[in-house]
Amino acid sequence: MNVVMVGAECAPWSKTGGLGDVMHALPKALAQRGHRVAVVAPRYAQYPDAWETGVRLRLRVFHAEQEVGFFHAFQDGVDFIFVDHPAFHAHAGDIYGGSRHDVLFRCALLSKAALEVPWHVPCGGVPYGEDNLLFLANDWHTALLPVYLQAHYRDHGQLTYARSVLVLHNVAHQGRGPLADLALLEVPGDYAESFRLDDPLGGEHANVMKAGVAAAHRLVAVSRGYAWECQTQDGGWGLDAVFREAAWKLAGVVNGIDPREWDPATDRHLQHDGYRNYGLQDMAGKAACKAALQKELGLPVDARRPLLGFIGRLDYQKGVDLIRDNYEWLMGEGVQLVMLGSGREDLEASLRDMESRNHDKCRGWVGFSAAMAHRITAGADILLMPSRFEPCGLNQLYAMAYGTVPVVHAVGGLRDTVQAYDPYANAGTGFVFEWSDAGAFRNALGDALYTLREYPDSFAGIQRRGMEQDLTWDHAAAQYEDVLLQAKYQW
């Protein structure tokens, strides 16, 4: 099949979260399965490895002519195509920034440009064409693509055999706005109802995600648990009835990890400063990584002291306040705590305060460092993921691949991917708590610490089972392939 994957970000060129990683890794896994795959994303800055194609098109967006260019890079069997326009350049440092109309304009521009790529952009000298063509849109930022495909093309006898799949990474963000926005989006009048939503969260409004769900031939949520949660009042964010109605075309597929980036045996961030690569057959390297992390961060080097890590955005969704609320208890347990992330100012201040109060036990790194994220994942004994909701989550997958035991809240992809430890059956890959409160989190974390200290062989078994899993994109790509085939044969 010819697959065109479209998203607002794509690592390593642009990334704010897991979507950027998915946009980089999933296409490579699909290409390895024999498909011709292109990725279409905005060109926010000068990308030295992407070359000008010479193709320029004029598109009508928000009732004005807009000229776009296309840049191209070819990596690991995938065509990466970047849409060039001043509206993207203006937000290189904040790719989702600007007013509501600014963001909506960029989303419409990207969707319209992506639909023209198979006809006009030569990849390896030959455009993809419209035969056997499937578009893979991601989140509300490209949810207009399925709508435009149907309303502007298929309804007029063009791209008749093209199909679209919409991937749901986080349905809390839906592209909500007043109904007057529909005039800007240039959709036919008979499509207006597909945008209209009247719910307690936003009243009567235009909802881009809702229209995309209706127009897409298939839907994919980024875990089986999240596919179910989207259909509940708590997890659907006002669209639960829409997702229940579309349940017949909704599948759940857990994301994977890219072993070229995340493999303790080859990780380039573990090859100096005292860090060491390691694997199932040689776990001594993990102990070396723990000592190196303690030394790098200025913590006492002590192999027997539990080292806990957190990596992620500092916001309510990630449950960082549950860690903060258990801070005194954690320090009383004699653990070392390392947290890496940025976000809400009050939570950033909490990180700094926690470090200042226990400088010999706690480090709060406000910001982000890819190298430090890898080193925390390798050096920590336990990774904390108390997220209130987590559509899929990648850090728990990285942790298990690195022999770091996750403690997670049983939601979304965390529930799907982390099997709760059962000491009687000697089974499980982590510790799980059911209720999002400080007490439940403390109990699960207490169990993890007790197992680590009193039953190190059992803890090593949890590590081993996590590392033995196939967490790569290969399995996920096969499931995506099934969904694409279902879409292909749906009229």
Side-chain angles (χ1 to χ4, degrees):
M1 290 181 283
N2 291 323
V3 181
V4 179
M5 189 168 179
V6 189
E9 59 185 85
C10 179
W13 300 278
S14 56
K15 176 185 173 181
T16 64
L19 172 59
D21 290 326
V22 173
M23 289 289 295
H24 189 244
L26 175 57
K28 294 180 180 181
L30 289 170
Q32 289 175 353
R33 297 183 65 84
H35 304 288
R36 191 181 185 197
V37 185
V39 171
V40 180
R43 182 175 180 260
Y44 294 108
Q46 299 289 338
Y47 302 149
D49 49 355
W51 299 88
E52 169 80 72
T53 64
V55 175
R56 302 198 70 81
L57 298 177
R58 296 187 69 82
L59 305 172
R60 188 164 181 81
V61 184
F62 277 31
H63 300 291
E65 293 293 320
Q66 304 293 333
E67 185 175 283
V68 297
F70 298 90
F71 284 67
H72 176 252
F74 185 75
Q75 294 183 5
D76 299 320
V78 176
D79 295 297
F80 291 91
I81 300 166
F82 302 101
V83 181
D84 188 54
H85 188 275
F88 298 130
H89 305 165
H91 294 278
D94 184 11
I95 65 176
Y96 298 115
S99 69
R100 179 174 52 79
H101 273 174
D102 290 340
V103 176
L104 190 60
F105 173 85
R106 298 198 301 273
C107 294
L109 179 65
L110 176 62
S111 296
K112 289 191 173 186
L115 285 164
E116 294 293 320
V117 162
W119 277 341
H120 297 287
V121 180
C123 299
V126 181
Y128 275 46
E130 59 182 89
D131 292 338
N132 218 13
L133 180 63
L134 291 110
F135 290 95
L136 201 56
N138 290 269
D139 265 353
W140 87 264
H141 321 107
T142 54
L144 286 169
L145 188 149
V147 180
Y148 288 151
L149 173 62
Q150 188 65 45
H152 293 173
Y153 294 85
R154 297 184 77 237
D155 285 355
H156 302 280
Q158 297 179 316
L159 295 177
T160 305
Y161 297 102
R163 299 291 183 268
S164 65
V165 175
L166 178 61
V167 185
L168 311 172
H169 299 265
N170 188 342
V171 302
H173 303 287
Q174 302 172 359
R176 292 169 173 250
L179 290 170
D181 283 355
L182 293 180
L184 297 172
L185 296 178
E186 301 160 316
V187 293
D190 55 344
Y191 280 81
E193 194 60 33
S194 69
F195 286 85
R196 188 187 308 274
L197 183 66
D198 192 355
D199 76 335
L201 288 176
E204 188 177 47
H205 66 279
N207 190 299
V208 174
M209 176 73 82
K210 176 178 180 286
V213 168
H217 295 92
R218 283 292 186 274
L219 306 170
V220 176
V222 291
S223 67
R224 294 182 302 278
Y226 194 52
W228 174 81
E229 288 176 9
C230 287
Q231 300 176 60
T232 68
Q233 284 191 338
D234 289 339
W237 295 90
L239 289 179
D240 51 292
V242 175
F243 288 122
R244 287 195 296 273
E245 186 176 346
W248 63 272
K249 61 179 179 179
L250 172 60
V253 179
V254 173
N255 291 334
I257 63 177
D258 186 348
R260 287 166 292 195
E261 291 291 327
W262 290 94
D263 183 345
T266 58
D267 192 328
R268 66 184 185 278
H269 300 295
L270 308 182
Q271 295 175 353
H272 45 82
D273 300 332
Y275 294 86
R276 279 178 50 191
N277 293 122
Y278 62 93
L280 263 174
Q281 306 307 317
D282 178 21
M283 289 293 284
K286 183 164 178 63
C289 288
K290 178 177 180 178
L293 181 63
Q294 291 171 323
K295 181 179 179 181
E296 182 176 3
L297 296 179
L299 294 168
V301 178
D302 184 347
R304 295 181 300 175
R305 181 170 292 192
L307 179 56
L308 280 54
F310 169 87
I311 304 165
R313 292 195 312 277
L314 304 181
D315 61 19
Y316 179 80
Q317 175 198 342
K318 298 298 181 181
V320 182
D321 55 305
L322 300 183
I323 302 175
R324 180 195 61 194
D325 293 346
N326 278 299
Y327 172 73
E328 297 296 344
W329 174 78
L330 283 169
M331 295 299 99
E333 287 289 312
V335 306
Q336 293 174 335
L337 176 63
V338 178
M339 300 182 66
L340 171 66
S342 61
R344 274 174 34 183
E345 290 184 5
D346 60 324
L347 293 175
E348 289 183 355
S350 293
L351 255 67
R352 297 185 179 100
D353 176 65
M354 288 190 290
E355 177 175 331
S356 67
R357 284 194 283 152
N358 285 277
H359 197 69
D360 62 332
K361 295 180 182 178
C362 183
R363 288 292 180 273
W365 184 314
V366 176
F368 185 75
S369 162
M372 184 51 61
H374 282 249
R375 290 177 169 185
I376 292 172
T377 303
D381 297 302
I382 295 169
L383 184 81
L384 310 180
M385 289 193 70
S387 304
R388 286 185 168 83
F389 69 94
E390 193 68 65
C392 179
L394 290 172
N395 286 336
Q396 84 279 10
L397 303 180
Y398 301 149
M400 290 187 289
Y402 279 59
T404 299
V405 174
V407 176
V408 305
H409 181 208
V411 290
L414 301 181
R415 183 193 297 271
D416 284 0
T417 56
V418 179
Q419 181 187 358
Y421 172 58
D422 181 347
Y424 302 104
N426 197 25
T429 56
F431 293 83
V432 180
F433 61 99
E434 293 289 337
W435 304 104
S436 183
D437 63 63
F441 176 46
R442 182 169 60 249
N443 290 339
L445 186 49
D447 290 343
L449 292 172
Y450 180 73
T451 305
L452 172 62
R453 286 168 164 156
E454 302 299 328
Y455 298 96
D457 289 342
S458 296
F459 193 85
I462 301 172
Q463 292 176 297
R464 184 186 68 254
R465 287 188 291 274
M467 296 179 75
E468 287 174 342
Q469 299 176 98
D470 179 7
L471 300 173
T472 67
W473 272 105
D474 294 342
H475 180 62
Q479 295 179 71
Y480 267 94
E481 189 176 64
D482 288 342
V483 174
L484 293 171
L485 284 170
Q486 292 169 17
K488 175 183 175 181
Y489 292 111
Q490 179 189 331
W491 182 251

